Amino acid sequence: MELSNRLKKVPPYLFVEIDRLKSEKLKEGADVIDLGIGDPDLPTPAEIVEVAKRALEKPENHKYPSNAGAFFYRKACADYMKRRFGLDFDPETEVTTLIGSKEGIAHFPIAFVNPGDIVLCPDPGYPVYHLGAIFTDGEPFYLPLTWENDFLPDFTKVPTQILERTKILWLNYPNNPTGATASKEFFKEVIALAKKYNFIVAHDAAYIEMYYEEPPISIFEVEGAKEIAIEFHSLSKTFCMTGWRIGFAVGNATLVSALAKVKSNIDSGAFTAIQEAGAYALNNLEKITPSLIKVFKERRDFLCAELERLGYQLKKPSATFYLWVKVPEGMDSREFCKKVLQDLAIVVTPGVGFGSAGEGYFRIALTVDIQRLKEAVGRLATLKF
Ligand SMILES: Cc1ncc(COP(=O)(O)O)c(C=O)c1O
């Protein structure tokens, strides 16, 4: 059976080789340290699980959920935006529940992209941005995130004809995979550009609560952003809830309602019991997250110092649980990651898997405990080129 032209355009999965080598290593009985997957190793905090258990027992939660999300959950999202950023959003019209932010990010272009429209995607970046463009017959245009520019896109390098055809600009700060954050000045520049060329700014804020220094800002802290922006939030990393599939989109009412309209024709909403747990988590964010952040901060501090000691080049991230590290001179990112896996049984992700501008880097996810990180450092110290 022939695949659709759209599916044919989806590039091959670049981590296939690493996955295969990892399985081989595990079969050999090697003690593999996996720093590849961006999935927190810590369990969901017990108090959130307890709320979910009680919510599971309620028969009213066993029915189809409300499409746009339960009001109590959307209100918890709006209350969070108010407490954390001082911003007002109407839970009825400016917030919609997502079955994880990936789902919203993938579906959003269906609401706005016509064939041939440009979708600006950061490179390196979360692959769902350009896949959403491909699935809607849009054209991804890649914005390189470079070391020299602190992993922010340089819009002066985007041709005017491209900006004129742009429908959506994707941004993601704090950033996966680079760990970079963006300033208010940067977001101001973005909003001004988007207004000039009349495109939508879609900001992926999946890591906005995983920070170690200054709290990262919402794009809506820039005046006028609500006229043209939507922001995607996730409870996955914030509360170690990746498997629960819960997030939300917030912003301009037209953008939010268009996304909700697409979704109402595809899915049937997030399980209400999980929205109860999610609302509890958001309402208690300030109490729950400090102990989780402390764990990742300790790992970040340890591994950044040790990698520098071993001669690796990286910018210490102030947010996310990723380290974006330069591959030693003379190797490409896939070669390096293969060698690290073959010789040391450590899984790290080749930067090129996140886009061609990711070549020359590898990504480490801080998803094992400090003892295992010490073991990984010990092994890295023995790596011979
Ligand atoms: C940048 C970025 N955005 C969005 C997501 C999706 O998160 P979720 O669908 O679990 O909310 C991820 C997950 O790894 C991510 O790295």
Side-chain angles (χ1 to χ4, degrees):
M1 198 62 83
E2 197 175 345
L3 295 177
S4 71
N5 292 337
R6 286 191 195 111
L7 204 56
K8 278 192 221 156
K9 277 193 213 158
V10 173
Y13 181 60
L14 274 150
F15 307 126
V16 172
E17 204 176 3
I18 296 284
D19 284 354
R20 187 182 54 75
L21 282 174
K22 182 182 158 190
S23 309
E24 267 174 28
K25 277 277 163 197
L26 287 169
K27 265 193 222 142
E28 285 167 17
D31 175 23
V32 174
I33 303 179
D34 194 343
L35 306 175
I37 309 162
D39 194 349
D41 55 316
L42 307 177
T44 305
E47 57 196 290
I48 301 176
V49 176
E50 285 308 316
V51 172
K53 281 187 193 164
R54 288 196 295 276
L56 267 180
E57 300 282 352
K58 298 182 192 168
E60 66 269 30
N61 285 348
H62 301 167
K63 295 178 173 286
Y64 279 121
S66 132
N67 265 127
F71 182 76
F72 67 77
Y73 177 75
R74 285 184 287 151
K75 178 156 187 326
C77 300
D79 289 349
Y80 156 75
M81 294 300 289
K82 180 73 180 173
R83 284 197 326 278
R84 171 70 160 78
F85 309 106
L87 299 166
D88 290 302
F89 289 94
D90 178 352
E92 284 287 9
T93 59
E94 295 177 326
V95 181
T96 196
T97 304
L98 299 175
I99 310 171
S101 65
K102 180 180 190 177
E103 174 266 296
I105 292 166
H107 287 140
F108 183 65
I110 298 175
F112 291 100
V113 174
N114 289 315
D117 284 348
I118 299 280
V119 177
L120 299 177
C121 305
D123 173 10
Y126 186 54
V128 185
Y129 313 137
H130 74 248
L131 292 172
I134 290 171
F135 286 146
T136 47
D137 292 333
E139 282 179 32
F141 183 92
Y142 298 99
L143 306 172
L145 308 183
T146 63
W147 174 284
E148 295 71 29
N149 208 36
D150 289 326
F151 304 115
L152 298 169
D154 179 355
F155 294 104
T156 62
K157 298 215 166 106
V158 184
T160 308
Q161 312 90 280
I162 294 292
L163 292 170
E164 281 166 351
R165 286 173 50 207
T166 296
K167 201 65 192 267
I168 300 175
L169 159 66
W170 283 104
L171 291 175
N172 164 224
Y173 292 100
N175 184 257
N176 174 18
T178 69
T181 49
S183 66
K184 193 166 177 180
E185 281 315 303
F186 170 78
F187 282 135
K188 263 190 197 164
E189 210 186 288
V190 165
I191 295 299
L193 191 76
K195 283 190 175 167
K196 180 169 173 195
Y197 289 99
N198 193 29
F199 57 75
I200 297 162
V201 181
H203 182 227
D204 174 359
Y207 296 90
I208 206 158
E209 293 306 330
M210 203 180 233
Y211 62 88
Y212 313 110
E213 276 129 44
E214 283 301 295
I217 64 167
S218 161
I219 199 158
F220 295 110
E221 290 181 55
V222 171
E223 221 183 287
K226 215 197 248 188
E227 291 160 38
I228 45 157
I230 183 165
E231 197 164 70
F232 292 82
H233 288 255
S234 168
L235 278 65
S236 289
K237 317 288 160 127
T238 306
F239 300 106
C240 303
M241 290 177 79
T242 50
W244 299 61
R245 314 311 304 134
I246 187 83
F248 64 95
V250 59
N252 176 278
T254 306
L255 303 184
V256 168
S257 71
L259 172 60
K261 185 173 175 186
V262 170
K263 282 171 52 52
S264 69
N265 287 287
I266 294 177
D267 64 60
S268 298
F271 185 17
T272 312
I274 289 177
Q275 293 189 68
E276 276 198 32
Y280 174 86
L282 285 169
N283 288 335
N284 290 278
L285 175 117
E286 293 80 356
K287 174 164 71 108
I288 297 170
T289 56
S291 61
L292 305 175
I293 289 174
K294 189 166 169 264
V295 172
F296 293 114
K297 181 175 187 298
E298 190 191 359
R299 294 175 185 177
R300 176 203 68 156
D301 291 344
F302 170 76
L303 200 54
C304 285
E306 289 299 308
L307 287 172
E308 274 170 7
R309 190 177 60 80
L310 293 176
Y312 288 93
Q313 272 185 287
L314 75 157
K315 296 193 186 199
K316 189 175 180 179
S318 65
T320 78
F321 58 178
Y322 300 119
L323 305 185
W324 187 239
V325 189
K326 281 195 182 174
V327 167
E329 217 111 336
M331 288 188 122
D332 72 31
S333 65
R334 265 188 276 188
E335 241 179 304
F336 175 79
C337 295
K338 230 167 107 174
K339 186 166 176 59
V340 168
L341 183 49
Q342 262 161 350
D343 297 0
L344 310 176
I346 298 175
V347 181
V348 291
T349 311
V352 73
F354 298 97
S356 58
E359 186 49 272
Y361 294 87
F362 66 98
R363 191 192 76 174
I364 292 180
L366 298 168
T367 48
V368 299
D369 66 28
I370 205 103
Q371 285 314 317
R372 293 293 277 165
L373 288 180
K374 283 183 183 160
E375 167 68 24
V377 167
R379 291 187 201 176
L380 278 169
T382 68
L383 191 65
K384 293 194 180 56
F385 301 103

